[in-house]
Amino acid sequence: MKSQNFEFLRAKRPLLADLGGFAEKYAHPDPQSSLVKQRAFVENAVLAIYDAYRLQLPYSENLNDRLLADEFRQAVPTIVQDKLHTVRKVGNHAAHLNTALPARTALDCLLVLFEIAEWFHIQVDGGARANCPRYVGPTPEPADDTRAKA
């Protein structure tokens, strides 16, 4: 899935680029799905951080437990941890509650996810800041009469 903002990750992290692309695509028509994809991005990024920094994974496979592990908290700046938690919490909310979330929620989290991706690209993968594009929020796709009729 081609992404508007996350293609700079594709060379080393095609799954993260794909998840970012799906999150962008779903942000307007299906914010819940966008937020679930964003949470999946965070989960995969956290595992990659553990691997890259050679951190010992906690016994629990729970994302929150991984984010709260002492080794992880010492290795990752607090501001990045806060952003990871934000996307995790909103993604959990989208996946487990039966209340519809507005597109604005998905769009706001996408910007946070992009900031995580920038940090990840530079600090974890050793990429250049110059490779990171300027973030541009996804716009709604024009209504397609054939889809609307179906």
Side-chain angles (χ1 to χ4, degrees), residues 5-6 8-9 16 41 45 111-123 132:
N5 293 292
F6 297 90
F8 67 98
L9 297 171
L16 294 182
F41 181 109
L111 175 56
V112 173
L113 191 72
F114 178 78
E115 292 167 348
I116 293 167
E118 284 182 306
W119 175 86
F120 184 94
H121 174 71
I122 295 164
Q123 296 299 320
C132 301

Side-chain angles (χ1 to χ4, degrees), residues 76-134:
V76 176
T78 303
I79 192 166
V80 176
Q81 292 175 48
D82 292 346
K83 291 174 189 294
L84 292 165
H85 277 293
T86 295
V87 176
R88 175 191 63 81
K89 288 175 186 176
V90 179
N92 284 349
H93 184 76
H96 299 296
L97 297 180
N98 289 332
T99 54
L101 294 171
R104 180 81 263 150
T105 302
L107 293 167
D108 290 346
C109 274
L110 264 173
L111 175 56
V112 173
L113 191 72
F114 178 78
E115 292 167 348
I116 293 167
E118 284 182 306
W119 175 86
F120 184 94
H121 174 71
I122 295 164
Q123 296 299 320
V124 178
D125 282 343
R129 178 172 295 283
N131 294 342
C132 301
R134 187 171 155 258

